[in-house]
Amino acid sequence: MDTEGTYDARGTGADRVPRPAGPPPGGPAAPAHAGPPPAVPPPPSYAPQPRRPSADVSVEEWLRTPRPVREPGVWRFGHTPRPPEKPEGVSDRSLLVGVLISVLSGLLLWSLWRNGYIPYRLVPLKLFTPADWWYAGTFGGPRTIEGADALTVYEAVLFGLLVYGCGRLGNWSEIFRRHVAGRGQPFLALATAAAAGLAELLVWKDAVPLVRPVLILVATVAGGEIYQSQAVVNVIYALIAVGVLWPFARLGGWRALIAGRGGKATAEPPRDPAAPPDTPSPAEWPELRAAGRTDAAETLAAEVRTGRMNDVDVARVRHAWSVGRARPERLEALTEAVLRTGGAAALHPSGARDLPRRTARHDLLTGQVRIGSVAEHPHNPYPRRGSGIALEPALLGTSLLAVGPPGAGKSARLVRPVVESLSLQALAGRAAVLAVGSGGGELGPDDAFDVVVRIGDPASVHDFDLYGGTTDPDEAAGVLAEGLVGDVAQMDSRRAATVLAQLLGPYRAVHGHFPGVPALRELLDGDLAATDALREALAAGGHRTMLRELEARSRQQGGAGDPGPVLADRIALLDRPAFASFFATGDEARPFSLRSLEHLPLRVRIDLPERGHAEASRLLARLVLAQFTAIAAARADRSLFVCLVLDDATHTVTAETVRNIRRLRSVNAGAVLALRTVDDVPEGLHTALLGAVGCCMVFSGVTTWDGKRFAEVWGKEWVETREVAQHAVFADQPFTRALHGLRKLVTGKAVTRDAVTVRRVERERWSASELAYQLPAGHAVLSLTNVDGEHAAPLLVDLGG
């Protein structure tokens, strides 16, 4: 298969690419036992028209969208930080009462002032003006015209101070921001225009002392002769009118509104710019231009502008470029492929450029898949509320455990999006995915995978290799023992592995391959004919070491604690007529081996025979998990992220696999395990499993027993609590007692006062009862840890957000 020189460097030529998942063109699929597979047709130079990352965003816009670096789990595509939390404000009722009281108080004070009921009101003015302007005495009024003018200006200043003081006391600015400015345009402009008209009316009706004081001050500064010109008077009146309108125009944003209606408004700049102004756009491929590959950069930029590239193409070419920078010959091949085929360069070995259908939002530049949004809930930190929540390889590399009852949404809202994301990254050459489920298309359609293994289905194109593709008998025995008896508490898997190795080694030495299921069952049952035939073949071939292994097995057979009968009973689950065509190991057998995931970005799905063969399905799932952890840890090339997704991990976790899961994060691999309840794992492994995974997800509907285990994992935090105690108030004075009695008669409650106590206490982040009874349907609590050790506290996630 033509890979444009991108994948050939791994030593995996076209002849090693697995067969297609679906039937070959021109006829129905042949079963795996029917002989060699059909040849794989080469991929087309161009697949069908690429699709956009989403319906409303083109590839060019998708590339230009900012992706700021945030804490683990934040959906970075177009993320904008939430504004700082505002302190709890005064209620609307209190604001309106405060405004009403301040207005009434101001009117009362102004009425008392104008009617002379406030004593000594002219004393401050008389201290700074000549005495001959006033009549004698404290209450004497103005005696001359100058005194009357000074009193007019004095009253205007006091009126302004009174309005300012009432506005501050009544919190007029807050009610304006909340109920007028908060509604935006055009309501803000209309409200301020109405207020400006009312202010103009009051000013020119002399209800507000402004016009006469201004005229007096102008005459004092410029002389009274200035008013002999009517034009000057008109200018002064116009300035007064404009001065009254100006603050309302500022508050109402009239200028911006008029400019916007006139088409002069500019677009609001983004709150979080993508990059400094001098940074080139990713859509122009600056990394290729910096390396002198201008022609290739121009070709790719044109492909992006014309819509002939999708997000998978962009991610694939970028990844091929980053991988090839270390080898000039690889860059030359990539450059030639770009100039020849454009966005179809460095194609995935399958030739696919996208998935048939997507059910979630993906961002291939960051490798994220969005699974929901952080709910508006007091348990969630304020800055995270409303932001998107996403998973990526850096998080899945620490492995994820999801627990929830059937119907909670584990498959549709977690497993399927994760499998989709990893499949897209496999098409970009960055990951390999192994999805294991019960079939039925829950993990995606067949044409979304490169390999589909339907165990128990005669039409399946692929078999399954029970031995994981290894040729070492001890390694094969260890993995097979985990799959067969790893869930048996009283069984030592190491001893079971020894028994299997004593049979697998001699059989391979004679036949050149490991035994099939029927032959292995006969040897484990101690069938004399099978054992004698193997013994004679070993003696004839001179395999003395293997003959000694077989003799040791013969001596131990039937002894106390012999694991042979248990192994035979378990392997008998696979020796059924439904599996007669599977698990073959001869020369003509072509089983699929998980070792293909070591070096190829494959998309693999294994359908287990859950219906009618539940115990065999659990055995196979346990075997797949054991093989995956062993193969992932032994990889020599760890550039690909490899992930196993188990849609149902019931009775698959063993002590050895828990130890291996801990090591996955250091070998660029991860696992996603979905469980109905933690009790599906042996009780002795509960603590070890919860400590081995870095990400935990609890869906709505779990029991309090499961909730208790996760509450212990997530620990406690310091919180501030307020305790309010009401104490009765006892009055000593008769008048006060009478008021209290009247208040109790009206309200029906005794007079009390509140005593508030604020304390810092340590409480569980999420209690068992909250997880069991307070999680809404369609929600889950998710805690995250990335491979660098960064943590995100457990968050309540709306899976439909």
Side-chain angles (χ1 to χ4, degrees), residues 189-210:
L190 293 176
T192 52
L198 178 61
E200 291 283 1
L201 179 63
L202 294 177
V203 166
W204 296 111
K205 288 293 184 179
D206 208 22
V208 174
L210 180 62

Side-chain angles (χ1 to χ4, degrees), residues 467 472-482 493 496-498 500-502 504:
Y467 304 100
D472 183 1
D474 293 324
E475 182 181 352
V479 175
L480 186 58
E482 283 296 317
S493 60
T498 301
L500 287 171
Q502 290 172 342
L504 297 181

Side-chain angles (χ1 to χ4, degrees), residues 356-551:
R357 187 168 69 92
R358 302 188 188 185
T359 60
R361 292 185 62 188
H362 303 272
D363 182 24
L364 289 179
L365 284 190
T366 58
Q368 290 186 318
V369 53
R370 179 167 179 151
I371 61 172
S373 62
V374 181
E376 295 282 348
H377 193 273
H379 269 294
N380 294 330
Y382 176 82
R384 294 296 303 271
R385 297 176 192 172
S387 62
I389 198 78
L391 297 176
E392 57 184 304
L395 299 172
L396 299 178
T398 64
S399 299
L400 186 149
L401 177 66
V403 178
K410 299 189 300 298
S411 297
R413 298 182 177 181
L414 173 66
V415 174
R416 176 73 179 269
V418 168
V419 172
E420 272 187 14
S421 175
L422 294 172
S423 298
L424 289 171
Q425 294 182 57
L427 293 179
R430 301 187 306 200
V433 57
L434 172 62
V436 182
S438 58
E442 293 183 356
L443 303 181
D446 291 354
D447 50 358
F449 295 91
D450 304 311
V451 176
V452 176
V453 181
R454 298 184 183 90
I455 300 178
D457 185 356
S460 177
V461 178
H462 295 275
D463 293 343
F464 179 71
D465 189 353
L466 292 178
Y467 304 100
T470 184
T471 57
D472 183 1
D474 293 324
E475 182 181 352
V479 175
L480 186 58
E482 283 296 317
L484 294 177
V485 297
D487 62 329
V488 181
Q490 64 273 17
M491 178 71 66
D492 186 359
S493 60
R494 291 174 296 182
R495 187 172 181 183
T498 301
V499 171
L500 287 171
Q502 290 172 342
L503 297 175
L504 297 181
Y507 191 95
R508 178 174 175 79
V510 172
H511 299 280
H513 57 79
F514 292 124
V517 171
L520 180 59
R521 181 183 181 184
E522 290 178 351
L523 293 174
L524 289 172
D525 279 333
D527 184 85
L528 294 179
T531 304
D532 291 343
L534 182 60
R535 183 182 294 108
E536 292 175 1
L538 289 172
H543 303 289
R544 296 183 179 180
T545 303
M546 293 302 171
L547 182 60
R548 187 168 59 250
E549 287 283 295
L550 183 61
E551 295 296 342

Side-chain angles (χ1 to χ4, degrees), residues 30-172:
H33 58 279
V40 181
S45 299
Y46 282 92
Q49 183 66 24
R51 297 177 301 184
R52 295 182 175 186
S54 62
D56 55 346
V57 179
S58 65
V59 176
E60 187 172 7
E61 294 172 347
W62 172 74
L63 280 170
R64 296 178 186 273
T65 302
R67 295 167 175 83
V69 178
R70 291 292 182 264
E71 54 268 27
V74 175
W75 173 251
R76 293 169 53 190
F77 179 77
H79 174 76
T80 54
R82 192 172 188 179
E85 184 177 10
K86 295 181 179 179
E88 186 176 352
V90 184
S91 64
D92 292 344
R93 180 178 179 182
S94 300
L95 280 177
L96 293 175
V97 171
V99 169
L100 180 61
I101 291 176
S102 63
V103 170
L104 294 177
S105 301
L107 292 176
L108 176 62
L109 287 175
W110 185 244
S111 177
L112 293 176
W113 172 273
R114 294 296 297 267
N115 292 286
Y117 289 104
I118 296 179
Y120 310 109
R121 63 190 187 98
L122 299 180
V123 171
L125 180 60
K126 291 180 178 181
L127 292 176
F128 295 95
T129 55
D132 56 354
W133 287 8
W134 311 96
Y135 287 106
T138 305
F139 296 96
R143 184 177 181 180
T144 62
I145 296 176
E146 292 80 1
D149 292 342
L151 179 59
T152 301
V153 176
Y154 179 57
E155 288 181 345
V157 173
L158 290 179
F159 180 82
L161 293 176
L162 179 62
V163 171
Y164 176 77
C166 291
R168 291 296 300 272
L169 292 176
N171 208 359
W172 295 2

Side-chain angles (χ1 to χ4, degrees), residues 702-759:
V702 297
T703 64
T704 52
W705 291 274
D706 287 341
K708 180 180 179 181
R709 296 182 180 95
F710 285 99
E712 293 174 353
V713 170
W714 290 329
K716 300 180 179 181
E717 63 179 346
W718 288 99
V719 297
E720 189 176 90
T721 61
R722 293 170 58 90
E723 297 179 358
V724 180
Q726 293 184 338
H727 302 283
V729 178
F730 299 98
D732 297 330
Q733 301 299 324
F735 181 71
T736 308
R737 285 199 298 270
L739 290 178
H740 288 184
L742 179 61
R743 179 176 176 181
K744 183 177 182 181
L745 181 64
V746 173
T747 62
K749 297 180 181 179
V751 180
T752 60
R753 63 181 180 184
D754 295 340
V756 181
T757 303
V758 180
R759 296 188 303 171

